[in-house]
Amino acid sequence: MEWEQLDLNPRIIAAVKKANFRSAKEILCVSGPDLQRLTRLSKTDVQRLHCSVAAVVRESKPVTALQLIRGECPVLEAGHRLSCACPVLDGLMRGGLPMRGITELAGESAAGKTQFCLQLCLSVQYPQEHGGLNSGAVYICTEDSFPIKRLRQLITQQPQLRPDLPPALIRSRRFSDNIYIEHAADLEALQACVSQRVPVLLKRGLVRLLVVDSVAALFRSEFQADEAVQRSRHLLAFSNILHRLSHEYGAPVVCVNQVTDVVDGPNPGRCDYGLVGSKVLPALGIAWANQVMVRLMLRRLPGQVQSDSQSSATRKLEVVFAPHLPRASCLCGVWEEGVRGIPDDHSDLQPQGSS
């Protein structure tokens, strides 16, 4: 940036240069009183200097709350979302997953977290008018091997899960060819994957969804209880990469998380993330929670629900926190065709053996 870009009195610019400021951006890092002392300018001149530099440095004009309410800034509005491939789940999420930021899905083992992520890997491949992004997905496994048999079953059951879509459209999708599977056995391999290989796929437009299943496995196994500071540093570095990729390429990032048991009862010093009275909390603590934009909890409840000739354990998908969503939840089940929400007025789903 050249000093001539600033719409200021030459006297002010001369005083700034005399104070040995090498660039206009340096001025924004100095407080008003310090600028007065270094440049010997008045308080009014320093305020004009700060405003002029800020106006040149910022890349876009500021947006007011009134403009957002009036819908005058469509770039900042929610816009398109990645569908969960179920009207009930999409209703809970107000259309699906946001395009930017980290969405966490936490829950106990066998809650259905992996099933949900596999379903997203198929949904992302549909055109935008059908809730997808017309692209593929990267699935990073850190615990178990990739459930390829279940994926194939979900692919064959797509007509049953998505009866709203034209059969020809479903048949035209080469689902398995557009899911890129990675296995990370340690943190070094995980960091290399998200910082080297994933950006190449995103840049080429081959993928628009990143799934990490799970984020807790490696961070919990490679750090001891007394290494919380080191673990937090690695978590922040990892989350920074995910945020950068998501915002740069408009790609949703889904991180599966484990849970930890609450064994000491209510504790005023512990952050419960809004899950008051819960027996389990998402793992990795507040250092990770601060990096998450949307936190979802998937729980397995007592009892069964019936759909046609199939039965499923009852689940509850809950929005714990999100900047654009209220605290809400819905019941759902896992069937052969995938994860489907249970409408409030369902007539074809009958509870069985609930307790």
Side-chain angles (χ1 to χ4, degrees):
M1 178 188 304
E2 300 294 337
W3 295 108
E4 289 71 18
Q5 293 180 257
L6 301 177
D7 184 19
L8 289 170
N9 189 304
R11 174 182 55 83
I12 298 177
I13 296 178
V16 171
K17 289 182 178 180
K18 189 175 181 180
N20 293 322
F21 282 98
R22 291 172 295 179
S23 69
K25 288 185 178 180
E26 290 183 6
I27 295 173
L28 297 179
C29 300
V30 181
S31 66
D34 286 340
L35 270 179
Q36 285 183 257
R37 178 176 54 83
L38 293 171
T39 62
R40 299 180 182 271
L41 293 170
S42 67
K43 183 178 180 180
T44 301
D45 286 339
V46 168
Q47 289 176 342
R48 290 173 180 168
L49 176 61
H50 267 150
C51 291
S52 180
V53 172
V56 173
V57 169
R58 66 176 177 240
E59 297 180 356
S60 58
K61 295 181 179 180
V63 177
T64 66
L66 182 60
Q67 287 176 295
L68 289 175
I69 293 175
R70 290 175 174 174
E72 297 174 0
C73 300
V75 174
L76 298 181
E77 294 177 3
H80 185 73
R81 298 186 186 278
L82 174 58
S83 172
C84 300
C86 168
V88 177
L89 301 181
D90 283 344
L92 176 68
M93 299 291 295
R94 289 187 178 176
L97 268 59
M99 300 297 296
R100 290 172 172 81
I102 298 175
T103 298
E104 178 200 70
L105 180 61
E108 297 176 273
S109 177
K113 304 184 297 296
T114 298
Q115 307 278 339
F116 189 88
C117 292
L118 292 176
Q119 189 159 305
L120 291 174
C121 289
L122 301 181
S123 178
V124 72
Q125 300 187 39
Y126 289 110
Q128 287 197 11
E129 58 266 28
H130 296 295
L133 301 176
N134 205 29
S135 189
V138 180
Y139 201 107
I140 304 176
C141 303
T142 65
E143 294 185 66
D144 303 318
S145 59
F146 183 79
I148 186 65
K149 290 184 178 180
R150 177 55 174 156
L151 176 65
R152 289 170 179 164
Q153 184 182 37
L154 291 175
I155 292 174
T156 60
Q157 293 289 321
Q158 280 295 290
Q160 284 68 42
L161 180 68
R162 305 294 301 269
D164 57 307
L165 300 184
L169 174 63
I170 297 177
R171 290 194 301 268
S172 68
R173 304 285 106 174
R174 300 177 64 89
F175 291 107
S176 57
D177 291 346
N178 297 309
I179 300 177
Y180 299 82
I181 304 166
E182 293 277 353
H183 288 86
D186 52 42
L187 281 180
E188 184 178 356
L190 180 62
Q191 290 280 6
C193 180
V194 297
S195 62
Q196 298 174 20
R197 294 191 289 278
V198 173
V200 173
L201 294 172
L202 288 166
K203 182 176 290 188
R204 294 178 179 176
L206 297 175
V207 300
R208 287 284 300 280
L209 171 66
L210 172 58
V211 177
V212 181
D213 186 4
S214 74
V215 68
L218 299 182
F219 285 98
R220 297 179 82 179
S221 62
E222 295 199 18
F223 293 97
Q224 304 300 320
D226 58 349
E227 297 177 320
V229 175
Q230 295 93 317
R231 187 180 76 172
S232 295
R233 288 175 180 169
H234 281 80
L235 268 174
L236 291 177
F238 176 68
S239 64
N240 283 339
I241 296 175
L242 298 184
H243 279 294
R244 178 175 57 80
L245 294 176
S246 178
H247 284 79
E248 184 175 349
Y249 296 100
V253 174
V254 180
C255 290
V256 174
N257 197 2
Q258 301 170 350
V259 294
T260 57
D261 293 325
V262 178
V263 295
D264 55 353
N267 183 354
R270 182 186 64 234
C271 177
D272 60 11
Y273 319 108
L275 296 168
V276 180
S278 175
K279 296 181 180 179
V280 295
L281 293 176
L284 300 179
I286 195 169
W288 170 251
N290 287 334
Q291 307 304 311
V292 174
M293 187 178 75
V294 178
R295 167 163 280 176
L296 307 175
M297 281 283 287
L298 190 57
R299 309 169 187 266
R300 188 164 179 160
L301 304 179
Q304 300 276 320
V305 287
Q306 180 99 11
S307 175
D308 298 328
S309 60
Q310 302 180 55
S311 63
S312 166
T314 309
R315 273 95 167 170
K316 181 170 80 167
L317 181 64
E318 179 181 4
V319 177
V320 180
F321 61 72
H324 61 294
L325 299 174
R327 278 292 299 268
S329 64
C330 72
L331 296 180
C332 58
V334 179
W335 286 275
E336 286 185 10
E337 64 270 23
V339 182
R340 286 195 287 109
I342 302 172
D344 292 335
D345 57 347
H346 61 280
S347 58
D348 58 330
L349 302 177
Q350 302 297 327
Q352 293 186 340
S354 57
S355 58

